[in-house]
Amino acid sequence: QQQQQQQKQQEAAQAPAAAVVLLKEEVTEEALRANGLARFPLVAKPVRGRGSQGVQMVEDYASLSRYLAEDLERWGSVIVEGFLGGMEVTVTVLPPGDYVHPGSSSSS
C-alpha cells in the first residue's frame, strides 16, 4: 500500500498542477475533469483560513466528498488542486509594522 501511495504521489507530481475554486455544491467528478483535475491524489482546502487550517489530501472522489460534507460545513467554497509531492513550506505574509520576534532583543 505504501508503494501504491508513493507511485500515486510520483504520478501526481509529474502531472501539470491545476487549481480551481468551487462552491462546495459545484464539486463534481465532471467539474474536476473539466478543470484538469481528474487524477488523484488532490489537495482540498478552504478559500478562507490561514496556514494549513482545513487543508487535506484526498485519495479519491469518495474522500473528497466526505471532506466536503464533514469539514467544509463552515467554509462554503473550496480550492481543489493537483497534489505536488515534496517538502511542504508555509510562508506567512504580514503587513508593514514593527515586529519583535520572541527571544530576540528589541532595538529601542
Side-chain angles (χ1 to χ4, degrees):
Q1 185 179 17
Q2 187 177 11
Q3 284 181 327
Q4 286 178 329
Q5 185 176 2
Q6 288 174 343
Q7 183 179 356
K8 283 183 183 180
Q9 291 173 350
Q10 288 172 351
E11 289 173 0
Q14 294 170 2
V20 63
V21 177
L22 298 168
L23 294 174
K24 76 177 206 176
E25 305 83 43
E26 297 173 337
V27 180
T28 63
E29 290 180 86
E30 186 176 302
L32 295 175
R33 276 194 299 279
N35 286 285
L37 295 166
R39 294 177 69 176
F40 285 86
L42 297 173
V43 175
K45 54 189 173 184
V47 171
R48 296 183 185 264
R50 59 180 179 213
S52 60
Q53 184 179 29
V55 177
Q56 186 171 334
M57 184 171 81
V58 292
E59 295 289 337
D60 52 33
Y61 187 75
S63 299
L64 178 58
S65 295
R66 278 192 303 279
Y67 170 79
L68 294 171
E70 297 168 7
D71 298 335
L72 273 188
E73 195 61 37
R74 61 183 173 223
W75 302 109
S77 55
V78 62
I79 297 171
V80 180
E81 60 190 20
F83 174 79
L84 298 174
M87 184 188 318
E88 184 175 330
V89 178
T90 300
V91 176
T92 301
V93 179
L94 300 171
D98 295 324
Y99 299 97
V100 177
H101 186 273
S104 66
S105 59
S106 170
S107 61
S108 47

